């Protein structure tokens, strides 16, 4: 009684400091989000969805007072293939994201896109066939410095040189993780993967940012089940390193791993 379980000790050493959303646990070193699970599917389901049919495009414009936009994508359990672009003026896309989800219900896409300047719009293109519609949710996020800068201020970055690969595993009690990529002002090109088992991609994101300082990439990834690993590949050349911040976001400290039996699970 009173002693931390081995998996809790392992989680503390692997993923310190505490996550941004600690399920109400005080003492978090991260900036708190607005309400519980601001950037996860619990908050997403409080928003009004817009249906994007397969092979179609939807755009969402907003005024210049909006500092950041939250973008959520999910499905009814089917795979998701989409492109999320930030448009600023004609024929100018300073940020592009290609998204693949194996299961859009268990692991919805949740990203925060910085929108400095005027004339911004979000374009969401469903690149899957007509049989695979998706739901899009877009919400303004103007509070505080934003999750990307809050995470950068409270964690140590990992520099990933051009062409290099970085991987990090997470303990089974981690419900979701937060990832932020930025540069010193140079372009950013990267591939993010959530794996569960050898080369079993559950979520893949290919990211391009014209300026990795003005528009850092921030995403929250749901990690149900065991054996979750994040892999980040800097797909740019050697002259374009990037900084990666990867931390736990929500942790289920009430999970009793001793009652999980043999742990047999398909993935």
């Amino acid at each position: 009684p009173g002693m931390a379980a081995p998996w809790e000790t392992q989680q503390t050493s692997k993923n310190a400091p505490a996550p941004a959303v600690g399920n109400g646990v005080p003492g978090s070193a991260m900036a708190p989000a607005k309400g519980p699970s601001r950037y996860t599917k619990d908050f997403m389901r409080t928003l009004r969805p817009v249906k994007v049919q397969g092979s179609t495009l939807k755009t969402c414009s907003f005024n210049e007072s909006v500092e950041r936009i939250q973008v959520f994508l999910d499905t009814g359990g089917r795979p998701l293939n989409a492109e999320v672009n930030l448009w600023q003026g004609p024929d100018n896309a300073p940020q592009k994201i290609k998204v693949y989800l194996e299961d859009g219900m268990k692991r919805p896409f949740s990203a925060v896109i910085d929108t400095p300047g005027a004339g911004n719009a979000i374009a969401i293109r469903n690149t899957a066939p007509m049989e695979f519609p998706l739901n899009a949710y877009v919400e303004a996020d103007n509070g505080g410095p934003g999750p990307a800068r809050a995470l950068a201020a409270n964690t140590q970055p990992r520099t990933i040189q051009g062409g290099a690969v970085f991987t990090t595993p997470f303990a089974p009690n981690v419900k979701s993780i937060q990832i932020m990529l930025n540069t010193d002002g140079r372009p950013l090109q990267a591939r993010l993967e959530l794996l569960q088992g050898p080369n079993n991609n559950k979520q893949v994101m290919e990211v391009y940012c014209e300026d990795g300082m003005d528009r850092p990439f921030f995403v929250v990834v749901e990690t149900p089940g065991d054996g979750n690993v994040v892999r980040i590949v800097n797909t740019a050349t050697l002259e374009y390193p990037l900084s990666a911040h990867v931390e736990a976001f929500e942790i289920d400290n009430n999970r009793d791993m001793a009652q999980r039996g043999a742990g047999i699970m398909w993935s």
Side-chain angles (χ1 to χ4, degrees):
M3 295 182 64
W7 55 267
E8 291 181 313
T9 305
Q10 179 186 26
Q11 174 61 36
T12 302
S13 62
K14 275 189 176 182
N15 294 306
V21 179
N23 293 332
V25 178
S28 172
M30 303 296 297
K34 288 184 176 179
S37 307
R38 166 78 182 183
Y39 304 105
T40 60
K41 58 186 177 185
D42 297 326
F43 177 78
M44 174 192 73
R45 286 168 183 159
T46 66
L47 305 176
R48 183 176 66 88
V50 173
K51 182 79 71 176
V52 184
Q53 299 292 342
S55 303
T56 62
L57 170 69
K58 291 283 187 180
T59 60
C60 177
S61 58
F62 39 89
N63 61 43
E64 59 187 79
S65 65
V66 175
E67 300 173 357
R68 290 171 300 277
I69 285 289
Q70 288 181 249
V71 178
F72 300 93
L73 304 176
D74 78 343
T75 66
R78 294 184 176 188
L80 183 150
N81 284 276
E83 295 178 0
V84 180
N85 295 339
L86 172 66
W87 289 351
Q88 190 175 41
D91 298 323
N92 181 28
Q95 188 162 352
K96 302 177 183 180
I97 309 163
K98 290 184 178 180
V99 184
Y100 163 75
L101 308 176
E102 183 191 69
D103 186 331
M105 179 179 287
K106 289 177 67 176
R107 301 176 187 86
F109 173 75
S110 170
V112 178
I113 298 175
D114 281 64
T115 57
N120 292 292
I122 294 292
I124 300 172
R125 184 185 299 276
N126 187 346
T127 57
M130 187 174 62
E131 296 83 4
F132 297 92
L134 64 85
N135 296 315
Y137 310 76
V138 177
E139 177 78 357
D141 179 20
N142 283 332
R149 286 167 176 79
L151 179 61
N154 289 280
T155 59
Q156 292 296 321
R158 171 67 181 257
T159 299
I160 306 176
Q161 300 293 339
V165 180
F166 169 65
T167 62
T168 180
F170 282 87
N173 67 316
V174 175
K175 295 173 61 178
S176 58
I177 58 175
Q178 52 187 333
I179 304 170
M180 195 274 278
L181 306 179
N182 66 349
T183 67
D184 58 0
R186 285 178 273 192
L188 184 154
Q189 295 185 69
R191 177 182 170 96
L192 290 81
E193 301 173 358
L194 174 68
L195 299 99
Q196 197 173 37
N199 293 319
N200 186 3
N201 284 323
K202 299 299 184 181
Q203 185 165 343
V204 180
M205 293 159 283
E206 295 181 5
V207 183
Y208 164 77
C209 299
E210 182 181 73
D211 186 331
M213 179 180 289
D214 284 347
R215 298 180 183 88
F217 177 68
F218 178 85
V219 66
V220 172
V221 179
E222 302 280 340
T223 56
D226 300 349
N228 289 293
V229 176
V230 169
R231 178 162 62 192
I232 302 174
V233 183
N234 186 345
T235 55
T237 56
L238 187 66
E239 298 84 2
Y240 298 94
L242 63 85
S243 297
H245 302 256
V246 184
E247 294 292 335
F249 190 68
E250 283 188 306
I251 298 177
D252 184 7
N253 288 319
N254 298 318
R255 181 171 177 180
D256 188 356
M257 299 183 67
Q259 297 180 2
R260 295 184 60 248
I264 297 174
M265 179 181 65
W266 287 92
S267 63

